[in-house]
Each structure stands twice: as structure tokens, then as C-alpha cells.
Amino acid sequence: MNMIEFRNVSKIYENDSAALKDINLVIKKGEFVFMVGPSGSGKSTFIKLLIKEISSTTGTIFIAGRNICNLKNNRIPQLRRNIGCIFQDYKLLSDRTVFENIAFALEVIGKPNYIIKAQVPQVLKLVGLYNKMDSLPHQLSGGEQQRVCIARAFVNRPPILLADEPTGNLDPATSEGIMKLLSRINLIGTTVVMATHEKSIVNAMRRRVVELEDGIIIRDQKRGVYGS
Amino acid sequence: MSLVFRPKHIFGETFSSLRRNFLMGFTAITTVAITLFIVGVFSIIVFDIQSVLNSIENQVEIAVYLKDNISDDLKIYIEDEIKEWPEVEEVTFISKDQALERFKTQNEGSDILKEIQGNPLPASFEIRLKDPQKIEQVALRFVDKDGGNIEGVDEVIYGRNYVKKLFSITAVTGTIALLIIIILVLATMVLIFNTIRLSIYARRKEIEVMKLVGATNWYVRAPFLFEGSFEGFIGGGIAVLLLYFLNRFLLIKGETALVETMRIKNLALLGTDNVIIFIYLAIIVIGILIGLLSSGFALRRYLKV
Ligand SMILES: Nc1ncnc2c1ncn2[C@@H]1O[C@H](COP(=O)(O)OP(=O)(O)O)[C@@H](O)[C@H]1O
Ligand SMILES: [Mg+2]
């Protein structure tokens, strides 16, 4: 089953800079894909198109077989509930505890309290932060904050998880832990797309690698490496 | 669209936001109150003048008060004469006794009655016209060549001067009031707009996360719309309170005095009328609408969903 499909997708920003040019790409359910390339090559643009934070200029994008380009504004939230998203800067709310940060994500999509109380501790166990649920973000290390971010993205069990440079602010050892966690999430059936420019991480994983340069796919390899 | 009702989500933010930007919220609410108070005062005045005008036109158009010593012959002569005039719809004779009786029922329970000795009220003809425009023309027939009243007639009241004055006063003050109100409403909207802009700014990280995890657009907007309408509602409420006291302690007395000097009968006093309840409700609704509209503008401008 095709989880993500790009057909002749181009994105030209308002200032006429073409971030993606005529992209054709299929990602199957359960795959783990690295989007690699230097800064400015279009990785973040690719991710933002998937959650419809921006819209493609031309071409069509399918998610689970559905064309998301003609999605009405009020259907976008439904799309986003099925896609978890993590970032280099974590985007945690600094005045809320770990538990509250994750609960917030369920609250705002209308999940009842008893589900929140059941699911948040469960996902905290998965990311290994069960005993830190009452800490505030600033009391955590960078790696732990990223785990909270992953927990928040995954608490709703979305079929797709997107990661935009999740290890950008972390040291290699911590990054390895994050990659293990993402692998585990991938192993239970989640399709994972991760944008990065860190060669060592990509090379250690031996997963599919799609390389972008100036908005064009220049390489798509099954068990690839990056800049060998 | 699934918008689960979470009171904490919708209401909680308003209070923390009002605490955060107390001065801004306070200014916005005060301006709403002042604006709507002025709107209220002018509505009351306009409705009042309207009801006075209606009373003048629909009830007694000309009252001809007779001297106490008028002879029956002369009285009958004048009455027959009036009935001949083509402009006249109806003429009614009110005797001194009837006048007193009516005065008593109109002032039931009032202290004035105790002070009345004998019957100081004059007999009168009350003339209703087919066309109120002819009122001056008809009234002038009771004036003789020297400018005094014809024999047997003490005084002719027809309210024409009041009508003219009231009309010109309403026209001028109405225009000025409308301008002031428009300016105030705009100022109010700018102020509420600003409080909402600040709230959106203060919560920008939460908004970002909400949108990211798929909160509906209305879920994201609701607290801000509530905050705006809450400010409008409180402002409107304060305006209504002020109007209530103004009406209670000033207008009703003023109206009573007005009615007495003009000798208008059966005037529907606004101060005691249901219309004022309607005005109060309208002011609160307008306050809420101003708040909703202003926060709506702020959301369009600063909250891309
Ligand atoms: N909002 C934007 N407006 C205009 N140009 C943008 C915007 N976002 C990104 N770009 C441009 O698009 C290109 C790709 O950017 P991006 O997708 O962020 O690359 P990456 O994530 O690989 O570093 C860059 O040239 C960047 O300058
Ligand atoms: Mg990027």
C-alpha cells in the first residue's frame, strides 16, 4: 500500500524560489525513509507539504490513497491527526509538565479524560520517560525533550511519523538513542520519514535514502548511505 | 467538526489573559461601556421624543381652555362653529368636573391631590384634526385682531412650537450623536482588536502546537472569540447599569416635568415602559457583537489556520 505519493510536485514560494521541482516519489506503508541533502535543498518543504502547512504549486500529493491537494480547510485537522511530527526545536510548552504537554495534544482534539489518563503514561513508558512525567521541559536534557516531542507526536498512534532534523541539536550518543526509538516506532508498523543532513546517522541505519539537491531528487536507494 | 466543549479551554484563557493584560482589557471594557452608554442615552432620547411627538399628534391636537365665566350660549356657539370647520375630525367638550375627574385618575395616589382645593381646572374643547399639518391654521382662529384670545377663551394649547423645536433638536443632535457613536465604536473595536492580538501573541506557541496536532480551526479560535465577546458583554453590562441609574433618578423626573408643562395626556412614559428593557437588551447584544467582530478581525489578521 502506498502511504505517501508525490506526482509531479513542485513548490515555488512567493518570492519565486523553487524549493521542490517536479518531485515523483512513492513511500510504502511501514517504510523508514531518510530525506537527505544540504541545507536549502528542500527537505523541510517536503515535510511541510505533507501536513499541509503549505500547499504545492503544481502536482498532486496522495496520503493513504487520498489526494490532499484539494482538501478543504476544515479537513486539514483530520489529516494532521493522522501524522505525527517532530522537530529540531521540540516545540514543547515551557510552562507545562511532560505529562501536560502530551495530554495537551489529546485534549485539543477532543479526547476524553479517561483516554488521556490511560494513553499518556503508556507512551511515556515507550519513550522511557515514565518517571519524569512531572518535570518541566527546562529540567530535562535535550535528548529527553526530544523524547517528549516524540511521545506527543506518537501518543495518538498515527500511521505516519515525520521528523525534521530531530537530532540537529543533539550529541551523537543521544542521537543514537533517538534513532533507536524511531526504529522501534517504525517496527510496530509506523511509516517514518526523517529529514537530516547528518551523514553518520544515515550511514549507521542502512535504510532507504532519498537525496535532494536544489529541489530535485538526485538519488533514491533502498539500503543507502549518504556521502560515502 | 468535533468541538468538544471544554469550559476550561474556552473560559479559563479569558481570565488569565485579562490578568496578563489588565490595563488593556480594562481600557477596552471602559471604552465599550462609555460608547454604549452614549448610544443608550441617545436611543432613550430619540424614543422619548418620538413618543412625545406621537402623543401630540395622535391625542389632543388643540386644547381650547375656556374661561370659568363663559356663558352657555357662547360655549354652544363656539362648539357649533368648530364643528363646521372642514379640517376638524372630532371635537369633545370636557367640563370642569370631567377635567377634575381625569386629573384625579391620572395622579392617583399622588400628593398633588391633597393640595387641590375646589376645582381649579378649566373646561375645554379638545379638537382632533384630520390633518395634523393644519394645526397652526386652526389654532389661529381663536386669536382675535389684537393678538389676544377671542371672547370666552382663556388659552389655546397646541404644542406646535414644541413639535418644531423637538424636530430640529433631534435632527441636529441625532447627526452629531451618530458621528460620535461611529468614532467611539471604531475606537472600541481597535482596542478590543489589540487585546486579542496580544492574547494571540502570548499564546502563539500553544496555537502552533494545537494546529500541528490537528485541533479544529474553531477550537483554536473559540477562546479568542469568547474573550472579545466577554469584554463587549461586560462593557455593555456596565453601560446598562449606568443607564438604569440615569433613567431612574433623572429621566423619569425630567419626563414628568415635560409632560406637565406640555399638558400632554396619556403619554407613554419611556422611563417606565417596556421599551427601555428592549434598549438594555439591545445594548448588551451590541456589546457582544462589537467584541465578536473585533476579535474576528484580529483572528483573520493574526491567526492563520
Ligand atoms: N517560507 C519561505 N519563503 C520563501 N522561500 C523559502 C521558504 N521556506 C524555504 N524557502 C526556500 O526554499 C528552499 C528550500 O528550503 P527548505 O525546504 O527549508 O530546505 P531544507 O529544509 O532542506 O534546508 C530554500 O532555498 C529556502 O530558502
Ligand atoms: Mg530544514
Side-chain angles (χ1 to χ4, degrees), chain A residues 51 73-74 77 80-81 85 87 91-93 96 104-112 116 152, chain B residues 1-2 4 6 8-9 13 203 205-217 219 305:
Chain A
I51 55 170
N73 232 347
N74 61 355
R80 293 184 183 157
R81 289 177 195 190
C85 223
F87 308 91
K91 299 191 197 298
L92 300 178
L93 303 175
R96 293 175 200 244
F104 182 76
L106 292 173
E107 249 168 52
V108 303
I109 60 171
K111 287 273 156 53
I116 295 175
R152 184 181 64 194
Chain B
M1 190 205 321
S2 79
V4 172
R6 282 178 193 274
K8 195 179 113 233
H9 163 64
E13 273 311 315
R203 299 188 62 207
K205 287 195 86 174
E206 282 164 63
I207 293 170
E208 188 188 4
V209 174
M210 280 193 227
K211 289 198 281 189
L212 190 73
V213 301
T216 62
N217 297 343
Y219 187 90
V305 283

Tab-separated table of all heavy atoms in Angstrom, chain A residues 51 73-74 77 80-81 85 87 91-93 96 104-112 116 152, chain B residues 1-2 4 6 8-9 13 203 205-217 219 305:
chain	number	residue	atom	x	y	z
A	51	ILE	N	1.986	17.837	5.808
A	51	ILE	CA	0.990	18.213	6.832
A	51	ILE	C	0.195	19.428	6.380
A	51	ILE	O	-0.538	20.030	7.148
A	51	ILE	CB	1.644	18.490	8.206
A	51	ILE	CG1	2.746	19.541	8.084
A	51	ILE	CG2	2.170	17.227	8.825
A	51	ILE	CD1	3.263	20.021	9.421
A	73	ASN	N	-10.231	23.364	3.866
A	73	ASN	CA	-9.576	23.897	5.053
A	73	ASN	C	-9.996	23.176	6.338
A	73	ASN	O	-9.170	22.908	7.208
A	73	ASN	CB	-9.923	25.379	5.185
A	73	ASN	CG	-8.676	26.212	5.332
A	73	ASN	OD1	-7.593	25.675	5.582
A	73	ASN	ND2	-8.811	27.509	5.184
A	74	ASN	N	-11.265	22.864	6.447
A	74	ASN	CA	-11.733	22.272	7.704
A	74	ASN	C	-11.471	20.769	7.776
A	74	ASN	O	-11.826	20.123	8.747
A	74	ASN	CB	-13.220	22.586	7.918
A	74	ASN	CG	-14.089	22.022	6.816
A	74	ASN	OD1	-13.585	21.471	5.840
A	74	ASN	ND2	-15.394	22.156	6.971
A	77	PRO	N	-7.323	19.506	9.873
A	77	PRO	CA	-7.082	18.934	11.206
A	77	PRO	C	-7.143	17.407	11.201
A	77	PRO	O	-6.308	16.749	11.835
A	77	PRO	CB	-8.209	19.536	12.056
A	77	PRO	CG	-8.492	20.833	11.402
A	77	PRO	CD	-8.316	20.593	9.930
A	80	ARG	N	-3.966	16.029	9.959
A	80	ARG	CA	-2.849	16.175	10.910
A	80	ARG	C	-2.962	15.212	12.090
A	80	ARG	O	-1.956	14.867	12.712
A	80	ARG	CB	-2.770	17.615	11.415
A	80	ARG	CG	-2.375	18.558	10.286
A	80	ARG	CD	-2.177	19.972	10.740
A	80	ARG	NE	-1.871	20.824	9.597
A	80	ARG	CZ	-2.068	22.131	9.567
A	80	ARG	NH1	-2.554	22.752	10.621
A	80	ARG	NH2	-1.771	22.823	8.487
A	81	ARG	N	-4.179	14.780	12.400
A	81	ARG	CA	-4.319	13.808	13.490
A	81	ARG	C	-3.736	12.467	13.101
A	81	ARG	O	-3.506	11.616	13.961
A	81	ARG	CB	-5.794	13.650	13.857
A	81	ARG	CG	-6.328	14.883	14.548
A	81	ARG	CD	-7.794	14.803	14.857
A	81	ARG	NE	-8.277	16.145	15.186
A	81	ARG	CZ	-9.462	16.413	15.688
A	81	ARG	NH1	-10.302	15.429	15.932
A	81	ARG	NH2	-9.809	17.647	15.958
A	85	CYS	N	4.467	14.591	14.136
A	85	CYS	CA	5.522	15.442	13.593
A	85	CYS	C	6.496	15.820	14.705
A	85	CYS	O	6.063	16.261	15.782
A	85	CYS	CB	4.877	16.694	13.020
A	85	CYS	SG	5.575	17.164	11.449
A	87	PHE	N	10.453	17.823	15.648
A	87	PHE	CA	11.281	18.913	15.134
A	87	PHE	C	12.612	19.009	15.856
A	87	PHE	O	12.776	18.501	16.963
A	87	PHE	CB	10.544	20.249	15.304
A	87	PHE	CG	9.165	20.231	14.750
A	87	PHE	CD1	8.090	19.874	15.551
A	87	PHE	CD2	8.927	20.541	13.424
A	87	PHE	CE1	6.806	19.828	15.037
A	87	PHE	CE2	7.662	20.495	12.900
A	87	PHE	CZ	6.594	20.137	13.707
A	91	LYS	N	9.457	22.193	20.181
A	91	LYS	CA	8.167	22.901	20.301
A	91	LYS	C	7.351	22.437	21.520
A	91	LYS	O	6.146	22.186	21.437
A	91	LYS	CB	7.327	22.727	19.023
A	91	LYS	CG	7.998	23.291	17.771
A	91	LYS	CD	7.020	23.344	16.611
A	91	LYS	CE	7.714	23.500	15.266
A	91	LYS	NZ	8.478	24.749	15.138
A	92	LEU	N	8.021	22.343	22.673
A	92	LEU	CA	7.299	21.997	23.906
A	92	LEU	C	6.813	23.280	24.581
A	92	LEU	O	7.406	24.344	24.402
A	92	LEU	CB	8.217	21.228	24.856
A	92	LEU	CG	8.773	19.917	24.297
A	92	LEU	CD1	9.717	19.264	25.312
A	92	LEU	CD2	7.660	18.962	23.909
A	93	LEU	N	5.733	23.159	25.343
A	93	LEU	CA	5.217	24.321	26.075
A	93	LEU	C	5.942	24.391	27.415
A	93	LEU	O	5.844	23.478	28.241
A	93	LEU	CB	3.704	24.202	26.277
A	93	LEU	CG	2.933	24.040	24.960
A	93	LEU	CD1	1.457	23.791	25.226
A	93	LEU	CD2	3.130	25.262	24.072
A	96	ARG	N	4.338	23.868	31.031
A	96	ARG	CA	3.591	22.652	31.317
A	96	ARG	C	4.548	21.484	31.537
A	96	ARG	O	5.609	21.425	30.921
A	96	ARG	CB	2.645	22.317	30.157
A	96	ARG	CG	1.531	23.337	30.015
A	96	ARG	CD	0.704	23.048	28.793
A	96	ARG	NE	-0.042	24.243	28.397
A	96	ARG	CZ	-1.363	24.334	28.409
A	96	ARG	NH1	-2.102	23.319	28.769
A	96	ARG	NH2	-1.952	25.446	28.047
A	104	PHE	N	-1.991	17.723	26.464
A	104	PHE	CA	-2.482	18.862	25.684
A	104	PHE	C	-2.831	18.453	24.253
A	104	PHE	O	-3.874	18.826	23.711
A	104	PHE	CB	-1.400	19.951	25.683
A	104	PHE	CG	-1.775	21.208	24.951
A	104	PHE	CD1	-2.650	22.128	25.516
A	104	PHE	CD2	-1.251	21.482	23.693
A	104	PHE	CE1	-2.987	23.293	24.845
A	104	PHE	CE2	-1.586	22.645	23.010
A	104	PHE	CZ	-2.459	23.552	23.596
A	105	ALA	N	-1.950	17.643	23.664
A	105	ALA	CA	-2.162	17.222	22.277
A	105	ALA	C	-3.437	16.394	22.132
A	105	ALA	O	-4.092	16.429	21.092
A	105	ALA	CB	-0.965	16.427	21.786
A	106	LEU	N	-3.795	15.652	23.179
A	106	LEU	CA	-5.016	14.850	23.118
A	106	LEU	C	-6.239	15.694	23.451
A	106	LEU	O	-7.294	15.559	22.843
A	106	LEU	CB	-4.918	13.674	24.088
A	106	LEU	CG	-3.883	12.608	23.732
A	106	LEU	CD1	-3.765	11.584	24.860
A	106	LEU	CD2	-4.251	11.913	22.432
A	107	GLU	N	-6.056	16.586	24.443
A	107	GLU	CA	-7.143	17.472	24.849
A	107	GLU	C	-7.684	18.279	23.682
A	107	GLU	O	-8.886	18.360	23.474
A	107	GLU	CB	-6.602	18.482	25.874
A	107	GLU	CG	-7.102	18.333	27.286
A	107	GLU	CD	-6.261	19.202	28.209
A	107	GLU	OE1	-6.123	20.399	27.903
A	107	GLU	OE2	-5.749	18.671	29.209
A	108	VAL	N	-6.772	18.888	22.934
A	108	VAL	CA	-7.220	19.830	21.903
A	108	VAL	C	-7.858	19.122	20.711
A	108	VAL	O	-8.440	19.784	19.850
A	108	VAL	CB	-6.071	20.745	21.416
A	108	VAL	CG1	-5.478	21.502	22.582
A	108	VAL	CG2	-5.017	19.981	20.667
A	109	ILE	N	-7.746	17.795	20.631
A	109	ILE	CA	-8.502	17.126	19.579
A	109	ILE	C	-9.719	16.422	20.171
A	109	ILE	O	-10.342	15.578	19.538
A	109	ILE	CB	-7.636	16.141	18.765
A	109	ILE	CG1	-7.058	15.044	19.653
A	109	ILE	CG2	-6.506	16.883	18.058
A	109	ILE	CD1	-6.381	13.937	18.841
A	110	GLY	N	-10.053	16.824	21.408
A	110	GLY	CA	-11.330	16.398	21.975
A	110	GLY	C	-11.330	15.028	22.613
A	110	GLY	O	-12.395	14.445	22.814
A	111	LYS	N	-10.167	14.493	22.950
A	111	LYS	CA	-10.137	13.172	23.599
A	111	LYS	C	-10.609	13.299	25.049
A	111	LYS	O	-10.203	14.227	25.757
A	111	LYS	CB	-8.718	12.599	23.553
A	111	LYS	CG	-8.302	12.118	22.168
A	111	LYS	CD	-8.735	10.695	21.959
A	111	LYS	CE	-8.918	10.235	20.567
A	111	LYS	NZ	-8.143	10.264	19.497
A	112	PRO	N	-11.447	12.392	25.488
A	112	PRO	CA	-11.935	12.472	26.877
A	112	PRO	C	-10.827	12.152	27.883
A	112	PRO	O	-9.828	11.517	27.546
A	112	PRO	CB	-13.043	11.424	26.933
A	112	PRO	CG	-12.762	10.497	25.799
A	112	PRO	CD	-12.065	11.291	24.739
A	116	ILE	N	-7.022	10.107	27.988
A	116	ILE	CA	-5.778	10.829	28.239
A	116	ILE	C	-5.006	10.163	29.377
A	116	ILE	O	-3.812	9.908	29.277
A	116	ILE	CB	-6.080	12.307	28.558
A	116	ILE	CG1	-6.702	12.988	27.333
A	116	ILE	CG2	-4.821	13.035	29.003
A	116	ILE	CD1	-7.160	14.410	27.553
A	152	ARG	N	4.636	13.044	22.236
A	152	ARG	CA	3.470	13.854	21.879
A	152	ARG	C	3.005	13.554	20.450
A	152	ARG	O	1.813	13.481	20.174
A	152	ARG	CB	3.806	15.349	22.008
A	152	ARG	CG	2.615	16.252	21.746
A	152	ARG	CD	2.984	17.717	21.856
A	152	ARG	NE	3.946	18.095	20.843
A	152	ARG	CZ	4.644	19.231	20.868
A	152	ARG	NH1	4.479	20.087	21.865
A	152	ARG	NH2	5.503	19.495	19.909
B	1	MET	N	-17.304	18.424	12.203
B	1	MET	CA	-16.379	19.139	13.094
B	1	MET	C	-16.632	18.707	14.531
B	1	MET	O	-17.745	18.767	15.029
B	1	MET	CB	-16.629	20.634	12.988
B	1	MET	CG	-15.572	21.442	13.668
B	1	MET	SD	-16.167	23.054	14.163
B	1	MET	CE	-17.211	23.500	12.787
B	2	SER	N	-15.563	18.247	15.166
B	2	SER	CA	-15.767	17.849	16.552
B	2	SER	C	-15.198	18.918	17.473
B	2	SER	O	-14.005	19.102	17.577
B	2	SER	CB	-15.080	16.512	16.825
B	2	SER	OG	-13.710	16.707	17.013
B	4	VAL	N	-15.363	19.544	21.074
B	4	VAL	CA	-15.796	19.116	22.395
B	4	VAL	C	-15.785	20.339	23.307
B	4	VAL	O	-14.847	21.136	23.290
B	4	VAL	CB	-14.871	18.022	22.944
B	4	VAL	CG1	-15.214	17.715	24.383
B	4	VAL	CG2	-14.982	16.783	22.089
B	6	ARG	N	-15.042	22.268	26.239
B	6	ARG	CA	-14.176	22.236	27.409
B	6	ARG	C	-14.184	23.621	28.022
B	6	ARG	O	-13.495	24.518	27.545
B	6	ARG	CB	-12.749	21.866	27.011
B	6	ARG	CG	-12.559	20.387	26.763
B	6	ARG	CD	-11.139	20.109	26.319
B	6	ARG	NE	-11.027	18.758	25.793
B	6	ARG	CZ	-10.808	17.691	26.539
B	6	ARG	NH1	-10.673	17.800	27.833
B	6	ARG	NH2	-10.720	16.506	25.981
B	8	LYS	N	-12.841	24.908	30.525
B	8	LYS	CA	-11.540	25.413	30.943
B	8	LYS	C	-10.815	26.017	29.745
B	8	LYS	O	-10.163	27.057	29.837
B	8	LYS	CB	-10.714	24.267	31.544
B	8	LYS	CG	-9.507	24.754	32.341
B	8	LYS	CD	-8.733	23.579	32.927
B	8	LYS	CE	-7.385	23.472	32.293
B	8	LYS	NZ	-7.020	22.211	31.743
B	9	HIS	N	-10.957	25.352	28.617
B	9	HIS	CA	-10.298	25.812	27.399
B	9	HIS	C	-10.861	27.157	26.957
B	9	HIS	O	-10.121	28.070	26.618
B	9	HIS	CB	-10.478	24.761	26.309
B	9	HIS	CG	-10.203	25.259	24.922
B	9	HIS	ND1	-8.951	25.687	24.529
B	9	HIS	CD2	-11.007	25.404	23.844
B	9	HIS	CE1	-9.006	26.052	23.263
B	9	HIS	NE2	-10.237	25.904	22.826
B	13	GLU	N	-8.912	30.801	29.630
B	13	GLU	CA	-7.950	31.675	28.999
B	13	GLU	C	-8.315	33.142	29.142
B	13	GLU	O	-7.464	34.004	29.271
B	13	GLU	CB	-7.808	31.326	27.516
B	13	GLU	CG	-6.783	30.258	27.269
B	13	GLU	CD	-5.467	30.557	27.968
B	13	GLU	OE1	-5.002	31.717	27.887
B	13	GLU	OE2	-4.903	29.651	28.584
B	203	ARG	N	-0.039	33.462	23.250
B	203	ARG	CA	-0.313	32.031	23.166
B	203	ARG	C	0.174	31.419	21.862
B	203	ARG	O	-0.289	30.356	21.463
B	203	ARG	CB	-1.811	31.794	23.332
B	203	ARG	CG	-2.355	32.267	24.668
B	203	ARG	CD	-3.778	31.840	24.840
B	203	ARG	NE	-3.887	30.385	24.843
B	203	ARG	CZ	-4.974	29.741	24.464
B	203	ARG	NH1	-6.019	30.394	24.042
B	203	ARG	NH2	-5.002	28.427	24.482
B	205	LYS	N	2.767	29.872	20.884
B	205	LYS	CA	3.349	28.528	20.885
B	205	LYS	C	2.269	27.466	21.036
B	205	LYS	O	2.300	26.440	20.383
B	205	LYS	CB	4.381	28.402	22.017
B	205	LYS	CG	5.665	29.151	21.722
B	205	LYS	CD	6.783	28.730	22.654
B	205	LYS	CE	7.498	27.502	22.114
B	205	LYS	NZ	8.672	27.165	22.948
B	206	GLU	N	1.319	27.742	21.930
B	206	GLU	CA	0.222	26.785	22.102
B	206	GLU	C	-0.583	26.641	20.817
B	206	GLU	O	-0.988	25.539	20.440
B	206	GLU	CB	-0.717	27.245	23.217
B	206	GLU	CG	-0.179	26.970	24.599
B	206	GLU	CD	-0.912	27.774	25.642
B	206	GLU	OE1	-2.122	27.543	25.792
B	206	GLU	OE2	-0.290	28.655	26.258
B	207	ILE	N	-0.815	27.783	20.163
B	207	ILE	CA	-1.577	27.752	18.912
B	207	ILE	C	-0.843	26.901	17.881
B	207	ILE	O	-1.439	26.080	17.182
B	207	ILE	CB	-1.787	29.183	18.386
B	207	ILE	CG1	-2.710	29.954	19.328
B	207	ILE	CG2	-2.364	29.160	16.981
B	207	ILE	CD1	-2.794	31.429	19.031
B	208	GLU	N	0.477	27.084	17.820
B	208	GLU	CA	1.269	26.316	16.861
B	208	GLU	C	1.118	24.816	17.113
B	208	GLU	O	0.893	24.037	16.188
B	208	GLU	CB	2.749	26.735	16.975
B	208	GLU	CG	3.616	26.151	15.897
B	208	GLU	CD	5.104	26.411	16.146
B	208	GLU	OE1	5.447	26.987	17.194
B	208	GLU	OE2	5.899	26.029	15.282
B	209	VAL	N	1.221	24.438	18.412
B	209	VAL	CA	1.098	23.011	18.742
B	209	VAL	C	-0.315	22.514	18.443
B	209	VAL	O	-0.510	21.435	17.882
B	209	VAL	CB	1.469	22.759	20.218
B	209	VAL	CG1	1.205	21.309	20.586
B	209	VAL	CG2	2.925	23.126	20.469
B	210	MET	N	-1.317	23.312	18.809
B	210	MET	CA	-2.704	22.903	18.561
B	210	MET	C	-2.922	22.588	17.087
B	210	MET	O	-3.516	21.571	16.734
B	210	MET	CB	-3.653	24.038	18.943
B	210	MET	CG	-3.949	24.157	20.413
B	210	MET	SD	-5.352	25.273	20.623
B	210	MET	CE	-4.754	26.311	21.896
B	211	LYS	N	-2.443	23.492	16.236
B	211	LYS	CA	-2.653	23.279	14.803
B	211	LYS	C	-1.880	22.062	14.324
B	211	LYS	O	-2.371	21.286	13.517
B	211	LYS	CB	-2.231	24.534	14.028
B	211	LYS	CG	-3.193	25.686	14.254
B	211	LYS	CD	-3.076	26.752	13.208
B	211	LYS	CE	-1.889	27.624	13.492
B	211	LYS	NZ	-1.876	28.811	12.611
B	212	LEU	N	-0.687	21.895	14.887
B	212	LEU	CA	0.164	20.792	14.486
B	212	LEU	C	-0.471	19.435	14.783
B	212	LEU	O	-0.377	18.508	13.979
B	212	LEU	CB	1.490	20.915	15.242
B	212	LEU	CG	2.591	19.997	14.791
B	212	LEU	CD1	3.124	20.479	13.455
B	212	LEU	CD2	3.694	19.981	15.829
B	213	VAL	N	-1.108	19.318	15.945
B	213	VAL	CA	-1.662	18.017	16.313
B	213	VAL	C	-3.099	17.844	15.838
B	213	VAL	O	-3.722	16.836	16.104
B	213	VAL	CB	-1.577	17.760	17.840
B	213	VAL	CG1	-0.134	17.819	18.306
B	213	VAL	CG2	-2.434	18.748	18.603
B	214	GLY	N	-3.629	18.865	15.119
B	214	GLY	CA	-4.923	18.684	14.471
B	214	GLY	C	-6.132	19.171	15.244
B	214	GLY	O	-7.212	18.618	15.097
B	215	ALA	N	-5.947	20.227	16.066
B	215	ALA	CA	-7.132	20.847	16.670
B	215	ALA	C	-7.916	21.547	15.563
B	215	ALA	O	-7.327	22.082	14.624
B	215	ALA	CB	-6.714	21.861	17.735
B	216	THR	N	-9.243	21.539	15.673
B	216	THR	CA	-10.036	22.185	14.616
B	216	THR	C	-9.859	23.698	14.688
B	216	THR	O	-9.488	24.258	15.721
B	216	THR	CB	-11.536	21.874	14.777
B	216	THR	OG1	-11.973	22.409	16.020
B	216	THR	CG2	-11.809	20.393	14.721
B	217	ASN	N	-10.141	24.340	13.558
B	217	ASN	CA	-9.994	25.789	13.497
B	217	ASN	C	-10.839	26.482	14.554
B	217	ASN	O	-10.405	27.436	15.189
B	217	ASN	CB	-10.392	26.294	12.118
B	217	ASN	CG	-9.487	25.738	11.046
B	217	ASN	OD1	-8.397	25.246	11.342
B	217	ASN	ND2	-9.921	25.797	9.805
B	219	TYR	N	-11.827	25.260	17.372
B	219	TYR	CA	-11.286	25.013	18.700
B	219	TYR	C	-10.187	26.026	19.007
B	219	TYR	O	-10.090	26.542	20.122
B	219	TYR	CB	-10.725	23.590	18.770
B	219	TYR	CG	-10.291	23.188	20.155
B	219	TYR	CD1	-11.182	22.572	21.017
B	219	TYR	CD2	-9.000	23.449	20.605
B	219	TYR	CE1	-10.795	22.214	22.292
B	219	TYR	CE2	-8.602	23.094	21.874
B	219	TYR	CZ	-9.509	22.473	22.709
B	219	TYR	OH	-9.119	22.131	23.974
B	305	VAL	N	-5.150	29.857	10.088
B	305	VAL	CA	-5.370	28.436	10.377
B	305	VAL	C	-5.460	27.626	9.085
B	305	VAL	O	-5.431	28.179	8.015
B	305	VAL	CB	-6.653	28.225	11.208
B	305	VAL	CG1	-6.418	28.584	12.647
B	305	VAL	CG2	-7.809	28.981	10.631
